[in-house]
Amino acid sequence: MDTAGIGEMMEGLGRRGVAAAQVLALAPGAQKDAALAAAAAAIRARKDAILAANARDISAARARHLTGPRIERLHLDERRIEAMAAGIEAVLALPDPIGRVIAEWQRPNGLRIQRVTVPLGVIGIIYESRPNVTVDAGALCLKSGNACILRGGSESAYSSCRRAIAPRSATCSAG
């Protein structure tokens, strides 16, 4: 792996993540839900492109002599792609976790204090080559108003990239 410039690349990812987090933290629940609905639809619409990208990942994994279970975790088919879209819709159906008052009390001097849920900001996730995790992690981060930096295993590089494109473009179209 060529490590030249990795520091600059990571710094750039972090800066873009912080900028995205500032926007997502203020996004209304309806806008996040619209983005999630559009992402689920985009996954379904891009099914053929996702399957083609996954076939490239599977071929490369076999060329590297990966074992059966690792290839099985990497493998996508129409049923698994539908499950990913349905997973996004399951996250969509959850209540907006942001802005909920989870504790409240009043001090003797009359000052009222509340503990309110807020986004964390930028979440970094490193995971193995399970292409569905790209979608699952992105949907959960979006619903909770957080930006995410995802690093999946290299074995799923093509399929994760194809699926990452669909939710990103769907999110942009939702505002």
Side-chain angles (χ1 to χ4, degrees):
M1 175 180 182
D2 181 18
T3 58
I6 199 163
E8 292 86 13
M9 180 188 74
M10 294 305 296
E11 186 173 332
L13 281 172
R15 288 185 193 282
R16 289 191 308 274
V18 169
Q22 292 170 343
V23 172
L24 286 169
L26 301 175
Q31 187 176 22
K32 294 184 290 187
D33 287 349
L36 288 167
I43 292 290
R44 289 183 176 108
R46 296 188 52 79
K47 173 185 64 173
D48 291 338
I50 294 167
L51 289 171
N54 185 248
R56 286 181 71 186
D57 286 333
I58 297 290
S59 178
R62 286 191 175 122
R64 288 193 305 260
H65 306 291
L66 294 185
T67 61
R70 289 183 72 188
I71 289 177
E72 177 58 27
R73 287 192 299 263
L74 181 61
H75 175 72
L76 292 175
D77 55 25
E78 289 190 20
R79 181 184 57 80
R80 287 182 175 178
I81 291 174
E82 178 55 34
M84 290 187 301
I88 294 172
E89 291 169 340
V91 172
L92 168 64
L94 296 171
D96 190 346
I98 304 306
R100 289 184 340 165
V101 176
I102 56 175
E104 185 173 11
W105 62 95
Q106 188 165 344
R107 304 276 305 156
N109 65 358
L111 179 65
R112 196 175 108 219
I113 299 173
Q114 293 181 327
R115 187 176 304 144
V116 180
T117 57
V118 298
L120 296 172
V122 180
I123 298 175
I125 304 171
I126 301 172
Y127 51 97
E128 65 177 6
S129 295
R130 291 184 181 264
N132 60 304
V133 173
T134 302
V135 172
D136 295 342
L140 289 167
C141 286
L142 176 58
K143 182 71 172 193
S144 61
N146 293 291
C148 58
I149 299 173
L150 305 174
R151 174 58 172 105
S154 60
E155 293 86 3
S156 66
Y158 294 112
S159 356
S160 291
C161 181
R162 284 286 181 189
R163 270 196 325 290
I165 291 168
R168 181 182 306 143
S169 61
T171 303
C172 292
S173 71

